[in-house]
Amino acid sequence: PQSQVEFNTVTCNTTISACEKAGRWEKALQLLKVMAQSRVELDMTTFNATISACEKCGKWEHVLQILNSMARSSVESDTITFNAAMNTCEHAANWEKAVQLLGLAAQIGVEPNTITFSAAIGACEKSGKWEKTLELADVMARNSVQSNTITVSAAICACEMAGKPKKAVQLSAAMMCLNWRNLAAC
């Protein structure tokens, strides 16, 4: 007897995840579209897997479109959703979209974590926006989000590239203290 594989959310999500791992973002998008047209339930996993497939290939424009589709479909997003979207913006050095997404996450109740802030700070660093980098570092500290080496290094690099060696030294001292809040104490 021939077995039938059911065309449902689970099988589609698994296929989209396979597309992500294979670097086939176009196929992931195509399957997302077919699911919507076929009225197969789209859930958070569906959208997150599709966003990840596009993220891995640097397709930030598609990631933003998927986020919009997710909102229109009334599917909740989570930290994973925003981390993947913001990582794409970081790799594209699109600091404005990264900062916008950080604000949107907070606005809809998705709590940003170290990865979320690292992506936003990294996007600002790559765009030479050292002041915005420091502003985000301050927001990160005020929200009690733990910094990491990547976050602090990006902020230090942004200051160095902007010709702000004193700020870079201050951040370096803060990194040794392993906490943004200890900047003044160091």
Side-chain angles (χ1 to χ4, degrees), residues 31-162:
L31 184 52
L32 179 69
K33 190 176 190 176
V34 169
M35 287 175 72
Q37 291 169 345
S38 302
R39 301 195 192 285
V40 172
E41 180 187 0
L42 305 173
D43 62 12
M44 188 185 305
T45 303
T46 309
F47 285 105
N48 284 351
T50 309
I51 287 170
S52 291
C54 291
E55 175 216 351
K56 296 238 176 356
C57 297
K59 303 298 180 186
W60 68 270
E61 298 95 341
H62 291 292
V63 167
L64 297 178
Q65 290 171 358
I66 296 165
L67 277 175
N68 287 332
S69 294
M70 193 173 189
R72 282 192 310 274
S73 300
S74 299
V75 174
E76 281 189 35
S77 50
D78 63 1
T79 305
I80 293 168
T81 310
F82 280 92
N83 287 351
M86 290 183 61
N87 280 333
T88 307
C89 293
E90 177 189 4
H91 295 303
N94 191 336
W95 73 274
E96 292 165 315
K97 287 293 179 194
V99 170
Q100 184 181 25
L101 287 174
L102 184 64
L104 177 62
Q107 183 181 4
I108 65 171
V110 174
E111 199 166 316
N113 63 16
T114 302
I115 296 167
T116 319
F117 275 101
S118 291
I121 288 171
C124 291
E125 178 248 330
K126 288 177 177 153
S127 301
K129 301 295 180 186
W130 71 274
E131 290 169 318
K132 193 57 143 175
T133 300
L134 296 181
E135 181 184 319
L136 291 174
D138 186 54
V139 170
M140 190 175 181
R142 281 188 311 219
N143 287 306
S144 301
V145 177
Q146 183 68 39
S147 61
N148 64 14
T149 305
I150 295 168
T151 309
V152 177
S153 295
I156 290 169
C157 286
C159 292
E160 288 174 346
M161 289 188 317

